[in-house]
Amino acid sequence: MSVINAFRSIIVLAPLLCGSAFALEQPIVVSFADQPINKFNQKLELAQHQKRNWSKQPESISAHYAGNRFQLAKVKQYQGKVVTYNVSAAKGKHPKMLLIISMEKQRDNWILDAARLTWQCENGLHFGTDRCSNNH
């Protein structure tokens, strides 16, 4: 992954609302790291062929990719794609993370276009890929 692909210019996201413990209001994402999607897309294609329940809707596909540390915050339609925003709470030395997944339907099957991870350091004003200080 090149530095150009890993770090992006300022992107302002629409408001994200979910449970009070994960509430985000208009987070500013200044950079993100692209996450691997090829192996997941292979797994997703097989699951769709086998008609597995998790592979039928964007919300459950997103949850399957994100894992149990994340909670779905918002689902949005954008330029013909479905974009999901998943948030994890800050725990101990781990910062609050935001996982943004973009997917589209191709020939009646879903496929991930991108998965991008960014985080918010303690007392941070934005989400980015900066190193967080472990000093609390």
Side-chain angles (χ1 to χ4, degrees), residues 4-73:
I4 294 171
N5 286 335
F7 301 100
R8 304 289 174 147
S9 59
I10 295 176
I11 300 170
V12 179
L13 299 174
L16 301 178
L17 299 174
C18 59
S20 60
F22 297 99
L24 298 174
E25 294 182 23
Q26 294 195 347
I28 297 173
V29 176
V30 295
S31 61
F32 53 76
D34 286 309
Q35 300 299 293
I37 59 172
N38 291 337
K39 286 188 180 188
F40 183 82
N41 274 332
Q42 291 170 356
K43 182 179 177 179
L44 176 58
E45 182 179 15
L46 178 60
Q48 289 174 133
H49 178 71
Q50 295 172 342
K51 300 191 185 320
R52 298 213 174 166
N53 283 338
W54 70 264
S55 69
K56 295 177 182 179
Q57 297 296 322
E59 297 84 354
S60 56
I61 294 168
S62 179
H64 203 82
Y65 183 93
N68 60 8
R69 288 185 51 202
F70 287 84
Q71 298 231 344
L72 184 64

Side-chain angles (χ1 to χ4, degrees), residues 61-102:
I61 294 168
S62 179
H64 203 82
Y65 183 93
N68 60 8
R69 288 185 51 202
F70 287 84
Q71 298 231 344
L72 184 64
K74 184 173 181 137
V75 179
K76 181 178 170 181
Q77 298 282 334
Y78 180 73
Q79 296 182 343
K81 300 175 191 266
V82 175
V83 180
T84 62
Y85 301 89
N86 301 277
V87 181
S88 78
K91 275 190 176 176
K93 294 182 180 181
H94 295 284
K96 180 188 293 185
M97 294 187 288
L98 175 63
L99 178 61
I100 306 164
I101 300 173
S102 171

